[in-house]
Each structure stands twice: as structure tokens, then as C-alpha cells.
């Protein structure tokens, strides 16, 4: 048994999962006193998590302030030293004999040159030591990462869950394959539904139903972004197909991360559409229709299981709902906005 308690500490939001003894008395666990305790504990945990970023910012600010203070002090000291040097040179220049000036200037120049050379060697040595130490630390951290951590592997599905996955996948791909056959027949094989990335999509939808990468928002937005980039690259002259198939995912994959729409099948779509001979917008439309069919089928089949829910959120629907109906942070309706006449 478990429950989830949300917290919002000045905009820092999260959820605290509290597990209960499966053999415990449900009435005792749901007692108001115990519920208040768990709610307050969740807020305390959220506060401890929320303070981490401000603490890092304060430490960075203090470090930067100390550096700026030392920098200003260093400038002042150098200014004083240079002023004293100028005064000393002026006194020597005014009090020395004219016949000794060339010798003094030459001697001073040689001393300054030796001092600059020694300072350069010292700085170069310190820099080399710093680079060596940094490289050593980097290699040590890299070695530790290569050896892996202590995280365990994901648990295996039960036979019942595997059966639900089988039903969902075979139903979805039967529909998609039949539609693909129909499209090829009606278009005399000029067009087809690209099925490979849709296989990756169904893997996510039926095996990782709660993962952000599996959700309809990521699936639709990421596929539109990936295929658009791949098709646009095909219009640039001089790019050979072999390099285009490398450039397309190189743009799409970090682009998805920046936009917050990470979806692994979209990386596959970028490669396929960058090398596809009939690389046009009609093929993109057919493929996006296949994505929509896959989402609709996954919604219908996954939610038949008591242990599955797909999707975890209808992002676009919720966005539109919040634009029409006022809601607070708990999702409770506060005011209904009238549509413009």
C-alpha cells in the first residue's frame, strides 16, 4: 500500500511517496492524526529538497564576491606599486648624472626582462601542474563512471502484464500493417506508411506507460520536429545522403532535449526520413496519422488493465482547459471564464 502527497515550496513542486505495511490496518493508516503527520512530513521533505538550489546559488554568490574583492584589491596594489615605480624612476632620472643614464636604463631593462622571463616560466609551470592535475582527476572520475554504479536492473514483467503488451502490440501493428497495405494498393506503391519508428513507439507505450518519452505530447511534437528537420535538410544542395543521415539525428536529438520533448522513436524517424527517396510532406502526413492511430489504440488497450494508465496526462487538453476554466494548484475549479462573443 502506498500514497502520494504533493508539495509546493515557493514553486518547487514534487511528490512524496509514502509506503505502508501491506499487512497493516487500513483504518489506522488513514487515521486523521496519521494523515496530518504524513502531510507535514511531506512538506518538510519538500522544503529540504527545495533549499538545495538556493544554497548552491548562495555559495556561488559568495565565491564570486570573494573573487571580485580579491580582484579589486589586486588592481589597487598593482596601481600603488606602479605609482611608486614611476616616482622612483622620476627621482633617479632627475638626480642621476647624464653620462650614467644609458647604463642605468639598460640595466633596468635587463632586470625587467629577467623578471618577466622568470615570472613567465613560473606561470607556465603552475599552469602545466594545474592541467596535469585536472586531467588526472578527470581520468579518475571517468574510470569510476566506466565501472558503473550500484543501481539494480528493472524487474521483469509478470505473465499477465506480458499478455497485455502482446495484445496491445499485435492489435496496433495489425491495424497499421493493414492500413499500409491499403495505402500502397491505392497509390500504386507511390506512398507507404513507415512502420519501423512505430515499432519503437509501441515498445514505449506498452512497456513504459508512465515514462515521459511515451506520452502523446512527446510523441506528436517530437515526430513533427524530427521529420521537419530531416525533410528540410533534403532541400539543401550538396549534402550527400550518407552525411544527411548523420546530420539529421545530430540536430534532432539535442533539439528534443532543449525543447523538453525527448522521444527515442523520433531519432529513428530523423534517420529514416533523411535517407528516404520519396522524402516529401505527404509521407510525413501519412506517418503522423500512423502515430495518432498508435496513440489511440494504446489509450484504449492499456487502460483496460487495472495496473496500467496511459497517458499520464493529456497535455494539450489540460492546457486548453486551464485557458477556459480557472484552476488552482490542486486542480480545483475556481472560476469559469466566459468565451468571447
Amino acid at each position: 500500500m502506498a500514497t502520494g502527497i504533493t508539495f509546493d515550496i515557493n514553486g518547487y513542486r514534487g511528490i512524496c511517496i509514502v509506503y505502508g505495511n501491506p499487512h497493516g490496518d487500513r483504518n489506522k493508516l488513514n487515521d486523521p492524526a496519521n494523515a496530518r503527520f504524513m502531510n507535514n512530513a511531506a512538506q518538510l521533505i519538500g522544503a529540504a529538497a527545495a533549499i538545495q538550489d538556493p544554497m548552491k546559488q548562495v555559495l556561488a554568490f559568495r565565491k564570486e564576491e570573494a573573487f571580485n574583492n580579491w580582484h579589486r584589491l589586486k588592481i589597487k596594489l598593482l596601481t600603488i606599486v606602479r605609482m611608486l615605480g614611476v616616482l622612483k624612476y622620476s627621482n633617479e632620472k632627475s638626480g642621476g648624472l647624464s653620462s650614467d643614464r644609458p647604463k642605468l636604463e639598460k640595466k633596468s631593462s635587463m632586470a625587467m626582462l629577467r623578471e618577466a622571463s622568470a615570472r613567465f616560466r613560473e606561470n607556465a609551470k603552475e599552469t602545466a601542474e594545474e592541467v596535469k592535475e585536472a586531467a588526472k582527476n578527470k581520468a579518475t572520475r571517468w574510470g569510476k563512471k566506466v565501472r558503473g554504479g550500484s543501481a539494480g536492473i528493472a524487474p521483469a514483467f509478470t505473465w499477465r502484464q506480458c499478455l497485455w503488451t502482446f495484445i496491445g502490440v499485435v492489435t496496433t501493428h495489425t491495424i497499421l500493417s493493414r492500413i499500409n497495405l491499403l495505402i500502397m494498393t491505392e497509390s500504386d506503391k507511390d506512398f507507404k506508411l513507415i512502420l519501423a519508428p512505430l515499432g519503437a513507439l509501441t515498445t514505449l507505450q506498452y512497456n513504459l506507460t508512465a515514462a515521459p518519452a511515451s506520452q502523446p505530447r512527446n510523441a506528436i511534437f517530437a515526430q513533427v520536429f524530427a521529420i521537419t528537420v530531416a525533410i528540410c535538410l533534403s532541400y539543401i544542395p550538396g549534402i550527400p545522403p550518407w552525411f544527411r543521415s548523420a546530420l539529421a539525428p545530430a540536430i534532432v536529438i539535442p533539439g528534443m532535449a532543449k525543447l523538453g520533448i525527448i522521444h527515442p522513436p523520433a531519432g529513428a524517424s530523423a534517420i529514416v526520413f533523411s535517407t528516404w527517396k520519396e522524402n516529401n510532406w505527404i509521407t510525413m502526413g501519412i506517418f503522423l496519422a500512423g502515430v495518432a492511430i498508435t496513440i489511440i489504440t494504446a489509450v484504449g488497450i492499456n487502460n483496460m488493465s487495472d495496473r496500467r494508465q496511459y497517458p499520464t496526462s493529456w497535455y494539450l487538453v489540460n492546457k486548453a482547459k486551464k485557458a477556459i476554466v480557472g484552476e488552482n494548484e490542486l486542480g480545483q475549479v475556481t472560476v469559469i471564464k466566459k468565451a468571447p462573443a
Side-chain angles (χ1 to χ4, degrees):
M1 293 187 291
T3 184
I5 304 171
T6 60
F7 58 83
D8 185 351
I9 311 297
N10 294 330
Y12 186 91
R13 302 175 184 175
I15 183 169
C16 180
I17 306 298
V18 181
Y19 293 94
N21 187 346
H23 306 292
D25 186 352
R26 189 181 294 269
N27 293 327
K28 292 182 179 179
L29 292 174
N30 291 326
D31 184 85
N34 194 36
R36 285 195 300 272
F37 172 77
M38 289 190 292
N39 275 289
N40 292 333
Q43 300 304 316
L44 184 61
I45 293 171
I51 201 174
Q52 296 302 315
D53 286 340
M55 286 180 63
K56 292 179 181 179
Q57 294 173 2
V58 167
L59 291 176
F61 172 76
R62 291 178 178 176
K63 185 176 180 181
E64 183 179 2
E65 188 68 17
F67 174 80
N68 292 335
N69 291 337
W70 165 245
H71 186 67
R72 287 193 292 267
L73 178 61
K74 183 179 178 182
I75 292 175
K76 292 178 180 179
L77 291 174
L78 287 175
T79 303
I80 294 172
V81 170
R82 287 172 182 172
M83 289 295 296
L84 292 176
V86 170
L87 293 174
K88 183 178 180 182
Y89 178 76
S90 300
N91 293 333
E92 291 178 352
K93 185 176 180 181
S94 60
L97 298 175
S98 58
S99 60
D100 294 335
R101 285 177 186 173
K103 295 181 180 180
L104 291 174
E105 290 178 357
K106 183 177 179 181
K107 186 176 180 181
S108 177
S109 300
M110 293 298 295
M112 291 175 63
L113 182 62
R114 284 195 298 268
E115 182 181 356
S117 177
R119 188 163 55 249
F120 175 77
R121 287 195 300 269
E122 184 179 354
N123 292 337
K125 185 177 180 181
E126 291 178 358
T127 303
E129 290 294 332
E130 291 176 358
V131 171
K132 182 179 178 181
E133 188 67 23
K136 183 178 179 181
N137 294 335
K138 186 73 174 180
T140 303
R141 290 194 297 270
W142 179 83
K144 290 181 180 179
K145 291 179 180 179
V146 168
R147 288 194 293 271
S150 58
I153 60 175
F157 273 25
T158 62
W159 285 109
R160 169 177 269 183
Q161 292 302 312
C162 289
L163 179 61
W164 277 111
T165 298
F166 172 79
I167 294 171
V169 173
V170 73
T171 303
T172 302
H173 282 279
T174 299
I175 296 172
L176 294 174
S177 297
R178 188 62 184 175
I179 292 175
N180 182 39
L181 179 61
L182 179 63
I183 293 172
M184 293 178 65
T185 304
E186 293 295 328
S187 65
D188 196 18
K189 296 185 179 180
D190 289 336
F191 301 103
K192 63 184 293 187
L193 176 61
I194 302 175
L195 297 173
L198 298 178
L201 175 56
T202 52
T203 302
L204 292 173
Q205 288 175 327
Y206 294 102
N207 285 344
L208 298 171
T209 56
S214 309
Q215 304 309 308
R217 170 185 176 270
N218 286 33
I220 294 173
F221 289 166
Q223 291 290 4
V224 171
F225 172 66
I227 299 172
T228 302
V229 170
I231 293 178
C232 290
L233 287 177
S234 66
Y235 289 109
I236 301 176
I239 302 180
W242 65 266
F243 182 67
R244 197 163 59 232
S245 65
L247 184 60
I251 296 174
V252 168
I253 293 174
M256 288 190 296
K258 180 62 178 177
L259 296 173
I261 52 173
I262 296 176
H263 184 64
S269 299
I271 297 176
V272 172
F273 275 84
S274 65
T275 57
W276 193 251
K277 294 181 180 179
E278 292 81 14
N279 199 2
N280 51 45
W281 301 103
I282 298 177
T283 308
M284 174 183 176
I286 295 172
F287 179 77
L288 292 178
V291 173
I293 293 170
T294 305
I295 292 172
I296 293 170
T297 309
V299 171
I301 295 176
N302 273 321
N303 292 315
M304 292 180 183
S305 171
D306 295 335
R307 294 182 175 272
R308 296 185 179 206
Q309 180 184 359
Y310 182 82
T312 56
S313 172
W314 286 106
Y315 176 79
L316 295 178
V317 175
N318 294 338
K319 200 77 173 176
K321 183 179 177 182
K322 287 183 178 180
I324 300 173
V325 180
E327 293 183 351
N328 59 17
E329 296 298 334
L330 300 177
Q332 299 169 337
V333 176
T334 57
V335 61
I336 298 178
K337 302 177 183 177
K338 293 182 179 180

